[in-house]
Amino acid sequence: MDRPTSPTSPAGASDPTGPTDAFHVYDTTLRDGAQQEGLNLSVEDKLVIARHLDELGVGYIEGGWPGSNPKDTEFFARAREELPLKHATLAAFGATRRAGVAAADDPLVAALRDSGADVVTLVAKSHDRHVDLALRTTLEENLAMIRDTVRHLRAEGQRVFLDAEHFFDGYRDNRAYALEALRVAAEAGVELVALCDTNGGMLPAQLGDVVDDVRDSIGVRIGIHCHNDTGCAVANTLAAVRAGATHVQGTVNGYGERTGNADLVAVVANLELKLGQSVLPADNLREATRIAHAVAEVTNVPPASRQPYVGASAFTHKAGLHASAIKVDPDLYQHSDPVEVGNDMRLLVSEMAGRASIELKGRELGFDLSASPDKLRRVTERVKTLERSGYTFEAADASFDLLLLEEMEGARPSYFEVESWRVITESSTSGEAESEATVKLFAGGERIVVTGEGNGPVNALDHALRSAIGQVYPEVAKFELIDYKVRILDQGHGTDAVTRVLIETSDGQRSWVTVGVGSNIVEASWEALRDSVVYGLRRG
Amino acid sequence: MDRPTSPTSPAGASDPTGPTDAFHVYDTTLRDGAQQEGLNLSVEDKLVIARHLDELGVGYIEGGWPGSNPKDTEFFARAREELPLKHATLAAFGATRRAGVAAADDPLVAALRDSGADVVTLVAKSHDRHVDLALRTTLEENLAMIRDTVRHLRAEGQRVFLDAEHFFDGYRDNRAYALEALRVAAEAGVELVALCDTNGGMLPAQLGDVVDDVRDSIGVRIGIHCHNDTGCAVANTLAAVRAGATHVQGTVNGYGERTGNADLVAVVANLELKLGQSVLPADNLREATRIAHAVAEVTNVPPASRQPYVGASAFTHKAGLHASAIKVDPDLYQHSDPVEVGNDMRLLVSEMAGRASIELKGRELGFDLSASPDKLRRVTERVKTLERSGYTFEAADASFDLLLLEEMEGARPSYFEVESWRVITESSTSGEAESEATVKLFAGGERIVVTGEGNGPVNALDHALRSAIGQVYPEVAKFELIDYKVRILDQGHGTDAVTRVLIETSDGQRSWVTVGVGSNIVEASWEALRDSVVYGLRRG
């Protein structure tokens, strides 16, 4: 995962932020994206997402608001220790000093400095009504809060960006004041002002006109931060770039409050592929689909199949009209080459669909399917059938390997044969419920019956299974279940719905993923558990 | 900005389609929307959706391609009988005559006329490479196909629109030919040419420039048809309107192939609420949320919560920062009044939320916390503590209600007391595993012991619990578990991790959500199940 190459030193050679600083790709998934309904990120989740963002090659990662809650404070502390970022610079988000308090005496301002982030992004009011009604202070004091906080942080050696909150609404109601807030920040030493369409009500042409005016009125670098309430977050961001903005904010998969923030991958892909502007390190965009999906695994928000560029359907063709011509020339029916963003073209009508990628995946696993077109066809059909019933093999390489083995060699490896299993979970007077599993199986010529306990049914089954098999294959003692994911498919049918379980197992050196599906969550988990042990034994 | 005013329809002032003909809202959900992966509409589905579209007040409903498949032919036949449309005019989609065949002799052209639709929308090639490689005919013959088919249909008394397929790609590769295709259609008598960004690769500024040029080059009414491959379908549509287009095509919920078509509701809401252009009958936009969700029920595609204007999250606020100010003035944090599109503002309770949002949430649930600052502080602390251990109350209104009740009134409602419960899940030789749960509880002065079966442990517990309580409170028979969500928190710790379960229960009229958390998934589910019954009984 984390490639141990040189972390960027804040005190680095000539330009610490590197060549990409001419144009900022500024990700706020961990801060503004986390405002999305139903999205709840642990510190561990945030660290994993930050590594993905760095692999994508964004210039800045806004990690949260240190000091506002313990989780964000912990994130920055751990990020300093655990994140060797290759491309990205960490930014800490926070507010200007409180009214009537010196910046040096405001503990929230101190927390920004103490976070150790290289950049502080200060959010400031630029809409007069918000100063009056939400901040409840005078227009003058708000300007002083901006001025003092920026100066204080600059004096402490921080780089400072400004998020001008509700800027476009403020501009509409009181242009002079909105511009004055930017001017004060610029004079106090911010590197840029990001104009925020906080309520998301703007349209591109109107937004572009405002950015034009800001550019002509104030000599400061301009950034843009859009929300998707009119369905125009991506287009609004591009309109700002067209008007001179050189810093774009957004989130992976467009996560964010209400309708979400600008989808950063769509913004970047449009800039690179449609407008010829390189904003990521060369070739990094090819990781976009993989990374967008990996982040969705962490957030556990199902990826939108229709998502531009990276969605599962984004390069999928259904119409017979199209499919016949695609054979002649794929570019006739594609606006971009899906390879550019790491996605694939799929044809839904053709039974040829998927074979190429299955052949490729087989090769990765050491099977040459090109020589056996019949087997290739059979595997493809089986994968399609299984996927229709809820399986996914995109992540579950180990299950796919066992499936290939079965088709290529006629059978799966057989290390043991299960007679039956049972799990009991019951309430306990002392607190948490307890689970107990019994597994009966044959291995090494013996019938083995083992009972295991655990803090849940799957945990108990895992203990019983590995303890039973361990009597014949002691190497399973090394195996450890390190990740367990559950997704309810076909939501809306309650507990009758089909459940998909993904299990990641490690032998201390490598890890592998298996999948199980069923209407009974325990059975689906059992399938994935059983395959994880079989695969582990096969790999030796 | 230039707001194009109405060119009068060629069909004249007494036209039966009424005043909306000055600007066309043209829906293609039933034709282009149906190309979406996983979307499969029966004739009955299409008729239901057509009624919803008519209620929304769209001007035109493109029903399909009669003659191309029996389903679409049947749709038009039944629509004539069964659809008393109030606002909308039906349009039949179809291709120009085949190469080398007279229009009068082409059965597909005849099927268009025989459909009985008032308008025929002909799709024609305007991209030279498509004529060459996909249509495999000469550029001249393609123009003749357009000319002949339009003239033939006009001579038979049909109104004809033209969809210029791949227009923008064609314009880029061969501007003269693309414009010539439009000119030929205009001269032959089409009412308008809809410029199609079929592959969806355009961006608003560039698209607007092309529409400007078309408007200046050819004297014909202009329409626009966009796909969302760059995430800009809505913005592209608005850019075309700004450049003079007076006919917009789109689909409900943005359904369509690949990334989908322009979301018609977002286009219309932006035109009406942001640009002051009335394009639907007065007040009809207020039906938008209801209708978008009703159509999603028919298509069985889960509605996207982040969808602009109509999504469940579109006017939902989470940040505590915001919640305090929303009390002062909702317009500070809303780009539009949700009532305008028939949606609602919602406030979420979350760890980022402070006391203000908990107070507001309490008010929604009928508790006045403003008078009890101590209790408010205690509830806020408790919510924060629970959220740190994995609970979430932003969706789980019912659990939050029970928590408030406990703090405000000193105790939760007590309808029953649980002695113990147990679930057994075991493998079966006949296939899927089976689960059996036993629940022991006291209710109505009795000790009740009930065993229930299910296709999973939670399903079995649910059956046992409701059957036990039903002996004293028969109303629980109405309760049905309609959604079950599992989230493993702190992934990376395998089955030892904490599990969060959300359960949605319905009594047939309303639904409510409860939450449970624990290291044992069955215990977490039990907690949510138990609270769902308590809350249901309390609501009566």
Side-chain angles (χ1 to χ4, degrees), chain B residues 156-211:
Chain B
E156 296 210 332
Q158 291 280 353
R159 298 175 61 190
V160 184
F161 299 168
L162 190 90
D163 267 3
E165 208 191 18
H166 296 284
F167 178 78
F168 294 93
D169 299 341
Y171 179 95
R172 181 196 59 218
D173 287 358
N174 185 343
R175 172 181 174 276
Y177 187 75
L179 291 179
E180 188 58 21
L182 306 183
R183 199 173 284 119
V184 163
E187 285 168 7
V190 297
E191 284 181 39
L192 60 90
V193 293
L195 310 178
C196 301
D197 184 20
T198 309
N199 291 354
M202 294 298 290
L203 300 179
Q206 291 73 7
L207 182 140
D209 289 347
V210 176
V211 178

Coordinates of all heavy atoms in Angstrom, one line a residue, chain B residues 156-211:
Chain B
E156 N -47.5 13.9 -45.2 CA -48.5 13.1 -44.6 C -49.2 13.8 -43.4 O -49.9 13.3 -42.6 CB -48.0 11.8 -44.2 CG -47.5 10.9 -45.4 CD -47.7 9.4 -45.1 OE1 -47.6 9.0 -43.9 OE2 -47.9 8.7 -46.1
G157 N -48.7 15.1 -43.2 CA -49.3 15.9 -42.1 C -48.7 15.8 -40.7 O -49.2 16.3 -39.8
Q158 N -47.5 15.1 -40.7 CA -46.8 15.0 -39.4 C -46.0 16.2 -39.0 O -45.4 16.9 -39.9 CB -45.8 13.8 -39.4 CG -46.4 12.4 -39.5 CD -46.9 11.9 -38.2 OE1 -46.7 12.5 -37.2 NE2 -47.6 10.8 -38.2
R159 N -46.0 16.6 -37.7 CA -45.0 17.5 -37.2 C -43.7 16.7 -37.1 O -43.7 15.6 -36.6 CB -45.4 18.1 -35.9 CG -46.7 18.8 -35.8 CD -47.1 19.2 -34.4 NE -46.1 20.1 -33.8 CZ -46.0 20.4 -32.5 NH1 -47.0 20.0 -31.7 NH2 -45.1 21.2 -32.0
V160 N -42.6 17.3 -37.5 CA -41.3 16.6 -37.4 C -40.3 17.4 -36.7 O -40.1 18.6 -37.0 CB -40.8 16.2 -38.9 CG1 -39.6 15.4 -38.8 CG2 -41.9 15.5 -39.7
F161 N -39.6 16.8 -35.8 CA -38.4 17.3 -35.1 C -37.2 16.5 -35.6 O -37.4 15.3 -36.0 CB -38.4 17.2 -33.6 CG -39.6 17.9 -32.9 CD1 -39.8 17.6 -31.5 CD2 -40.4 18.8 -33.5 CE1 -40.8 18.3 -30.9 CE2 -41.4 19.5 -32.9 CZ -41.6 19.2 -31.5
L162 N -36.0 17.1 -35.6 CA -34.8 16.3 -36.0 C -33.8 16.2 -34.8 O -33.5 17.2 -34.2 CB -34.1 17.0 -37.2 CG -33.0 16.1 -37.8 CD1 -33.6 15.2 -38.9 CD2 -31.9 16.9 -38.3
D163 N -33.4 15.0 -34.5 CA -32.3 14.8 -33.6 C -31.0 14.6 -34.4 O -30.9 13.6 -35.1 CB -32.5 13.5 -32.8 CG -33.2 13.7 -31.4 OD1 -33.6 14.8 -31.2 OD2 -33.3 12.7 -30.7
A164 N -30.2 15.6 -34.4 CA -28.9 15.6 -35.1 C -27.9 14.8 -34.3 O -27.2 15.4 -33.4 CB -28.4 16.9 -35.5
E165 N -27.8 13.5 -34.5 CA -26.9 12.6 -33.7 C -25.5 13.0 -33.9 O -25.0 13.3 -35.0 CB -27.2 11.2 -34.2 CG -27.0 10.1 -33.1 CD -27.0 8.7 -33.8 OE1 -26.8 8.6 -35.0 OE2 -27.2 7.8 -33.0
H166 N -24.7 12.9 -32.8 CA -23.3 13.2 -32.8 C -23.0 14.5 -33.4 O -21.9 14.7 -34.1 CB -22.5 12.1 -33.6 CG -22.6 10.7 -33.0 ND1 -21.9 10.4 -31.9 CD2 -23.4 9.6 -33.3 CE1 -22.2 9.1 -31.5 NE2 -23.1 8.7 -32.4
F167 N -23.9 15.5 -33.2 CA -23.7 16.7 -33.9 C -22.4 17.4 -33.5 O -21.7 18.0 -34.4 CB -24.9 17.7 -33.7 CG -24.7 19.0 -34.3 CD1 -24.9 19.2 -35.7 CD2 -24.2 20.1 -33.6 CE1 -24.6 20.4 -36.3 CE2 -23.9 21.3 -34.2 CZ -24.1 21.5 -35.6
F168 N -22.1 17.4 -32.2 CA -20.9 18.2 -31.8 C -19.6 17.6 -32.2 O -18.7 18.3 -32.6 CB -21.0 18.5 -30.3 CG -22.1 19.3 -29.9 CD1 -23.4 18.8 -29.5 CD2 -22.0 20.7 -30.0 CE1 -24.4 19.6 -29.2 CE2 -23.1 21.5 -29.6 CZ -24.3 21.0 -29.2
D169 N -19.5 16.3 -32.2 CA -18.3 15.6 -32.8 C -18.2 15.9 -34.3 O -17.1 16.1 -34.8 CB -18.4 14.1 -32.5 CG -18.4 13.8 -31.0 OD1 -18.1 14.7 -30.2 OD2 -18.8 12.7 -30.6
G170 N -19.4 15.8 -34.9 CA -19.4 16.1 -36.4 C -19.0 17.5 -36.7 O -18.2 17.7 -37.6
Y171 N -19.4 18.4 -35.9 CA -19.1 19.9 -36.1 C -17.6 20.0 -36.0 O -16.9 20.7 -36.7 CB -19.8 20.7 -35.1 CG -19.6 22.2 -35.1 CD1 -20.4 23.0 -35.8 CD2 -18.5 22.7 -34.4 CE1 -20.2 24.4 -35.8 CE2 -18.2 24.1 -34.5 CZ -19.1 24.9 -35.2 OH -18.8 26.3 -35.2
R172 N -17.0 19.3 -35.0 CA -15.5 19.4 -34.8 C -14.8 18.9 -36.0 O -13.8 19.5 -36.4 CB -15.2 18.7 -33.5 CG -13.7 18.7 -33.1 CD -13.4 17.6 -32.1 NE -13.8 16.3 -32.7 CZ -14.4 15.3 -32.0 NH1 -14.7 15.4 -30.7 NH2 -14.6 14.1 -32.6
D173 N -15.2 17.8 -36.5 CA -14.5 17.1 -37.6 C -14.8 17.7 -39.0 O -14.0 17.7 -39.9 CB -14.8 15.6 -37.6 CG -14.2 14.8 -36.5 OD1 -13.5 15.5 -35.7 OD2 -14.4 13.6 -36.4
N174 N -16.1 18.1 -39.2 CA -16.4 18.7 -40.5 C -17.6 19.6 -40.3 O -18.8 19.2 -40.5 CB -16.8 17.5 -41.4 CG -17.1 17.9 -42.8 OD1 -17.4 19.1 -43.1 ND2 -17.1 17.0 -43.8
R175 N -17.3 20.8 -39.9 CA -18.4 21.8 -39.6 C -19.3 22.0 -40.8 O -20.6 22.0 -40.6 CB -17.7 23.2 -39.3 CG -18.7 24.3 -39.1 CD -18.0 25.6 -38.8 NE -18.9 26.7 -38.8 CZ -19.3 27.4 -39.9 NH1 -18.8 27.1 -41.0 NH2 -20.1 28.4 -39.8
A176 N -18.8 22.1 -42.0 CA -19.7 22.4 -43.1 C -20.7 21.3 -43.3 O -21.9 21.6 -43.5 CB -18.8 22.5 -44.4
Y177 N -20.3 20.0 -43.2 CA -21.2 18.9 -43.4 C -22.3 18.9 -42.3 O -23.5 18.7 -42.5 CB -20.5 17.6 -43.5 CG -21.5 16.5 -43.9 CD1 -21.9 16.4 -45.2 CD2 -21.9 15.6 -43.0 CE1 -22.8 15.4 -45.6 CE2 -22.8 14.6 -43.3 CZ -23.3 14.5 -44.6 OH -24.2 13.5 -45.0
A178 N -21.8 19.1 -41.1 CA -22.7 19.0 -39.9 C -23.8 20.1 -40.1 O -25.0 19.8 -39.9 CB -22.0 19.2 -38.6
L179 N -23.4 21.3 -40.5 CA -24.4 22.4 -40.7 C -25.3 22.1 -41.9 O -26.5 22.4 -41.9 CB -23.7 23.7 -40.9 CG -23.0 24.3 -39.7 CD1 -22.3 25.6 -40.1 CD2 -23.9 24.5 -38.5
E180 N -24.7 21.5 -42.9 CA -25.5 21.1 -44.1 C -26.6 20.2 -43.8 O -27.8 20.3 -44.3 CB -24.6 20.6 -45.2 CG -25.3 20.4 -46.6 CD -25.8 21.6 -47.2 OE1 -25.4 22.7 -46.8 OE2 -26.7 21.5 -48.0
A181 N -26.4 19.2 -42.9 CA -27.4 18.2 -42.5 C -28.6 19.0 -41.9 O -29.7 18.7 -42.1 CB -26.8 17.2 -41.5
L182 N -28.3 20.0 -41.0 CA -29.3 20.8 -40.4 C -30.1 21.6 -41.4 O -31.3 21.7 -41.4 CB -28.7 21.7 -39.3 CG -27.8 21.2 -38.3 CD1 -27.4 22.3 -37.3 CD2 -28.5 20.1 -37.5
R183 N -29.3 22.2 -42.4 CA -30.0 23.0 -43.4 C -30.9 22.3 -44.2 O -32.1 22.7 -44.5 CB -28.9 23.7 -44.2 CG -29.3 24.9 -45.0 CD -28.1 25.6 -45.7 NE -27.3 26.4 -44.8 CZ -26.0 26.1 -44.5 NH1 -25.4 25.1 -45.2 NH2 -25.3 26.9 -43.7
V184 N -30.5 21.1 -44.6 CA -31.4 20.2 -45.4 C -32.7 19.9 -44.7 O -33.8 19.9 -45.2 CB -30.6 18.9 -45.8 CG1 -31.6 17.8 -46.3 CG2 -29.6 19.2 -46.9
A185 N -32.5 19.6 -43.4 CA -33.7 19.2 -42.6 C -34.6 20.4 -42.5 O -35.9 20.3 -42.6 CB -33.3 18.7 -41.2
A186 N -34.0 21.6 -42.2 CA -34.8 22.8 -42.1 C -35.6 23.1 -43.4 O -36.8 23.4 -43.3 CB -33.9 24.0 -41.7
E187 N -34.9 23.0 -44.5 CA -35.6 23.3 -45.8 C -36.7 22.3 -46.1 O -37.7 22.6 -46.7 CB -34.5 23.3 -46.9 CG -33.7 24.6 -46.9 CD -32.5 24.5 -47.8 OE1 -32.3 23.5 -48.5 OE2 -31.7 25.4 -47.7
A188 N -36.5 21.1 -45.6 CA -37.5 20.0 -45.9 C -38.7 20.2 -44.9 O -39.7 19.5 -45.1 CB -36.9 18.7 -45.7
G189 N -38.6 21.0 -43.9 CA -39.8 21.3 -43.1 C -39.8 20.8 -41.6 O -40.8 20.8 -41.0
V190 N -38.6 20.5 -41.0 CA -38.7 20.2 -39.6 C -38.9 21.5 -38.8 O -38.6 22.6 -39.2 CB -37.3 19.6 -39.1 CG1 -37.1 18.2 -39.8 CG2 -36.1 20.5 -39.3
E191 N -39.6 21.3 -37.6 CA -39.8 22.4 -36.8 C -38.6 22.9 -36.0 O -38.5 24.0 -35.6 CB -40.9 22.1 -35.7 CG -42.3 22.0 -36.3 CD -43.3 21.7 -35.3 OE1 -43.2 22.2 -34.1 OE2 -44.3 20.9 -35.6
L192 N -37.7 21.9 -35.8 CA -36.5 22.2 -35.0 C -35.5 21.2 -35.2 O -35.8 20.1 -35.6 CB -36.9 22.4 -33.5 CG -37.4 21.1 -32.8 CD1 -36.3 20.2 -32.2 CD2 -38.3 21.5 -31.7
V193 N -34.2 21.5 -35.0 CA -33.2 20.6 -35.0 C -32.6 20.5 -33.5 O -32.1 21.5 -33.0 CB -32.0 20.9 -36.0 CG1 -32.6 20.8 -37.4 CG2 -31.5 22.3 -35.7
A194 N -32.6 19.3 -32.9 CA -32.0 19.1 -31.6 C -30.6 18.7 -31.8 O -30.3 17.6 -32.4 CB -32.8 18.1 -30.8
L195 N -29.7 19.5 -31.3 CA -28.3 19.2 -31.5 C -27.9 18.2 -30.4 O -28.1 18.5 -29.2 CB -27.4 20.5 -31.3 CG -27.9 21.6 -32.2 CD1 -27.0 22.9 -32.0 CD2 -27.9 21.2 -33.7
C196 N -27.4 17.0 -30.7 CA -27.2 16.0 -29.8 C -25.7 15.8 -29.5 O -24.9 15.6 -30.4 CB -27.7 14.6 -30.3 SG -29.5 14.6 -30.6
D197 N -25.3 15.9 -28.2 CA -24.0 15.5 -27.7 C -24.1 14.0 -27.4 O -24.0 13.7 -26.2 CB -23.5 16.4 -26.6 CG -22.1 16.1 -26.1 OD1 -21.4 15.5 -27.0 OD2 -21.8 16.4 -25.0
T198 N -24.1 13.2 -28.4 CA -24.5 11.8 -28.2 C -23.4 11.1 -27.3 O -23.8 10.3 -26.5 CB -24.6 11.1 -29.6 OG1 -25.4 11.9 -30.4 CG2 -25.1 9.7 -29.5
N199 N -22.1 11.4 -27.5 CA -21.1 10.7 -26.7 C -20.8 11.5 -25.4 O -20.1 11.0 -24.6 CB -19.8 10.6 -27.5 CG -19.9 9.6 -28.7 OD1 -20.9 9.0 -28.8 ND2 -18.9 9.5 -29.5
G200 N -21.4 12.6 -25.3 CA -21.4 13.3 -24.0 C -20.1 13.9 -23.6 O -19.8 14.2 -22.4
G201 N -19.2 14.2 -24.6 CA -17.9 14.7 -24.2 C -17.7 16.2 -24.1 O -16.6 16.7 -23.9
M202 N -18.8 17.0 -24.3 CA -18.7 18.4 -24.4 C -18.6 19.1 -23.0 O -19.1 18.6 -22.0 CB -19.9 19.0 -25.2 CG -19.9 18.6 -26.6 SD -18.5 19.2 -27.6 CE -18.8 21.0 -27.6
L203 N -18.1 20.3 -23.1 CA -18.1 21.2 -21.9 C -18.9 22.4 -22.2 O -19.0 22.8 -23.4 CB -16.6 21.6 -21.5 CG -15.7 20.4 -21.1 CD1 -14.3 20.9 -20.8 CD2 -16.3 19.6 -20.0
P204 N -19.5 23.1 -21.2 CA -20.4 24.2 -21.5 C -19.9 25.3 -22.4 O -20.6 25.7 -23.3 CB -20.8 24.7 -20.1 CG -20.5 23.6 -19.2 CD -19.4 22.8 -19.8
A205 N -18.7 25.9 -22.1 CA -18.3 27.0 -22.9 C -18.1 26.7 -24.3 O -18.6 27.4 -25.2 CB -17.0 27.5 -22.3
Q206 N -17.5 25.5 -24.6 CA -17.3 25.1 -26.0 C -18.6 24.8 -26.6 O -18.8 25.1 -27.8 CB -16.4 23.8 -26.0 CG -15.0 24.0 -25.5 CD -14.8 24.3 -24.0 OE1 -15.7 24.2 -23.3 NE2 -13.6 24.7 -23.7
L207 N -19.5 24.1 -25.9 CA -20.8 23.8 -26.5 C -21.6 25.1 -26.8 O -22.2 25.2 -27.9 CB -21.6 22.9 -25.6 CG -23.0 22.4 -26.0 CD1 -23.2 21.0 -25.7 CD2 -24.1 23.3 -25.5
G208 N -21.5 26.0 -25.9 CA -22.2 27.3 -26.2 C -21.7 28.0 -27.4 O -22.5 28.5 -28.2
D209 N -20.4 27.9 -27.7 CA -19.9 28.6 -28.9 C -20.4 27.9 -30.1 O -20.7 28.6 -31.1 CB -18.3 28.4 -28.9 CG -17.7 29.3 -27.8 OD1 -18.4 30.2 -27.3 OD2 -16.5 29.1 -27.5
V210 N -20.5 26.6 -30.1 CA -21.1 25.9 -31.3 C -22.5 26.3 -31.5 O -22.9 26.5 -32.7 CB -20.9 24.4 -31.1 CG1 -21.6 23.6 -32.3 CG2 -19.4 24.0 -31.0
V211 N -23.3 26.3 -30.4 CA -24.7 26.7 -30.6 C -24.8 28.1 -31.2 O -25.7 28.4 -32.0 CB -25.5 26.5 -29.3 CG1 -27.0 26.9 -29.5 CG2 -25.5 25.0 -28.9

